[in-house]
């Protein structure tokens, strides 16, 4: 990596090591542009949901469904609200605030 390796699998493996050993994983997730957000986000979900949020956020929209799910399952409503305001995408807002198939309000809608 120090020599300029840009291989995604290598950066994913290094990211997993940073997260597992708790060696400043937030800095890695925010500053490394070569890892796959879906891979590291999924890896972080059970270890630390806030790290999963950070990884998914870096996905530039391709991980929105995963980001919304991890936020709702783990009560990261402030992070989700902040993300939605920063993104300013009406379709993503509609996804989060949509009523259930039977017209009922989703359980996490009020918390958001």
């Amino acid at each position: 990596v120090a020599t300029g390796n840009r291989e995604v699998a290598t950066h994913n493996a290094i990211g997993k090591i940073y997260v597992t050993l708790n060696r400043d994983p937030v800095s890695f997730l925010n500053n490394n542009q070569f890892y796959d957000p879906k891979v590291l986000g999924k890896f972080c979900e059970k270890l630390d949901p806030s790290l999963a949020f950070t990884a998914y956020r870096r996905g530039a929209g391709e991980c929105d469904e995963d980001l919304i799910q991890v936020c709702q399952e783990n009560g990261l409503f402030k992070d989700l609200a902040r993300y939605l305001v920063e993104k300013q995408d009406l379709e993503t807002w509609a996804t989060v605030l949509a009523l259930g198939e039977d017209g009922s309000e989703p359980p996490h809608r009020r918390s958001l």
Side-chain angles (χ1 to χ4, degrees):
V1 176
T3 60
N5 184 335
R6 294 182 178 194
E7 188 176 321
V8 174
T10 302
H11 288 269
N12 288 343
I14 291 170
K16 289 178 180 181
I17 292 169
Y18 272 76
V19 169
T20 303
L21 297 177
N22 199 24
R23 294 218 143 185
D24 200 14
V26 175
S27 176
F28 178 87
L29 294 171
N30 285 329
N31 298 321
N32 185 304
Q33 59 188 351
F34 301 113
Y35 70 87
D36 182 359
K38 257 195 177 324
V39 171
L40 279 182
K42 186 57 86 179
F43 179 78
C44 293
E45 280 186 18
K46 299 297 178 197
L47 295 173
D48 186 345
S50 64
L51 292 177
F53 171 81
T54 302
Y56 287 142
R57 184 181 65 206
R58 194 126 187 338
E62 70 182 45
C63 301
D64 281 350
E65 290 178 19
D66 297 317
L67 184 143
I68 292 167
Q69 181 180 355
V70 78
C71 286
Q72 289 179 341
E73 288 177 356
N74 296 287
L76 302 173
F77 300 113
K78 286 184 181 181
D79 293 327
L80 178 58
R82 191 175 301 118
Y83 175 78
L84 292 170
V85 169
E86 289 172 3
K87 187 167 180 182
Q88 297 182 0
D89 180 31
L90 294 178
E91 289 180 26
T92 309
W93 271 103
T95 301
V96 172
L97 298 176
L99 295 176
E101 292 176 8
D102 59 353
S104 65
E105 188 173 286
H108 304 296
R109 186 173 176 175
R110 288 201 183 272
S111 299
L112 182 62

